[in-house]
């Protein structure tokens, strides 16, 4: 007994989309996460990938990635002693305004309101330096190579 080609095609499509979704789950904090690269990873053009992803998961890849980033930001706002701006950049947003607007749309609260409402219900906040180190937040800035120092920094 053989499996119909249409069934194999649907299984391959689901597998390809799952691999792309896994890549987004793995690299969610990368602000340069590129839709074209993720689509190519799944073997699709950008536009076909968006349609197939929405059909399978009920939201576009951009919406999915935004939701993952907002969920991570919620965790950090509850647990880490970091500023909203630091959290914004750690979760992959490059604009504080966009981050705040999307956060409020998703949660109904601004990031500051969310923190005020949820902090103090559990353990003490994780010091920011530990959270930054654990999340890989110490990245070289634009135009600076890793290990390169400002001229005013001590040796």
């Amino acid at each position: 007994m053989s499996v119909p080609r249409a069934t194999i095609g649907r299984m391959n499509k689901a597998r390809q989309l799952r691999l792309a979704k896994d890549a987004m789950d793995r690299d969610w904090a990368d602000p340069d996460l590129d839709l074209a690269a993720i689509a190519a990873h799944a073997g699709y053009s950008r536009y076909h990938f968006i349609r197939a992803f929405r059909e399978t998961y009920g939201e576009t890849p951009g919406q999915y990635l935004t939701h993952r980033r907002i969920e991570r930001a919620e965790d950090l706002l509850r647990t880490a002693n970091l500023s909203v701006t630091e959290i914004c950049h750690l979760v992959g947003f490059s604009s504080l305004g966009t981050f705040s607007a999307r956060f409020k749309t998703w949660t109904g609260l601004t990031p500051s309101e969310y923190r005020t409402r949820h902090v103090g219900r559990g353990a003490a906040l994780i010091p920011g330096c530990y959270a930054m180190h654990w999340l890989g937040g110490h990245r070289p800035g634009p135009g600076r190579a890793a290990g390169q120092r400002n001229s005013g920094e001590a040796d």
Side-chain angles (χ1 to χ4, degrees):
M1 183 192 289
S2 65
V3 178
R5 282 187 179 198
T7 302
I8 292 171
R10 282 192 301 273
M11 288 172 29
N12 284 337
K13 175 184 171 184
R15 182 178 182 278
Q16 290 170 304
L17 291 171
R18 192 171 41 254
L19 288 172
K21 188 174 180 241
D22 290 345
M24 285 191 286
D25 287 338
R26 180 184 60 244
D27 299 328
W28 58 268
D30 182 358
D32 297 323
L33 193 58
D34 182 37
L35 178 62
I38 295 170
H41 186 72
Y44 288 100
S45 71
R46 287 179 56 174
Y47 302 106
H48 186 73
F49 176 66
I50 291 169
R51 284 191 301 272
F53 193 95
R54 183 182 327 181
E55 180 182 299
T56 302
Y57 295 110
E59 59 188 347
T60 66
Q63 291 167 333
Y64 176 78
L65 186 58
T66 296
H67 295 160
R68 295 292 78 71
R69 288 174 171 171
I70 296 297
E71 287 171 356
R72 287 355 181 254
E74 287 175 318
D75 289 341
L76 289 171
L77 287 165
R78 284 190 307 267
T79 62
N81 189 18
L82 295 168
S83 71
V84 172
T85 302
E86 289 170 323
I87 291 171
C88 162
H89 294 293
L90 282 173
V91 299
F93 284 92
S94 55
S95 164
L96 181 59
T98 300
F99 168 69
S100 296
R102 295 222 174 124
F103 191 94
K104 185 168 184 172
T105 299
W106 180 252
T107 65
L109 301 169
T110 67
S112 297
E113 291 169 341
Y114 184 89
R115 172 175 273 161
T116 301
R117 183 172 290 181
H118 291 88
V119 167
R121 294 185 178 184
L125 292 177
I126 299 168
C129 57
Y130 288 110
M132 292 283 282
H133 180 71
W134 179 69
L135 291 167
H138 296 289
R139 298 182 193 129
R144 289 186 62 198
Q148 182 181 7
R149 296 179 175 195
N150 289 331
S151 60
E153 292 183 20
D155 287 326

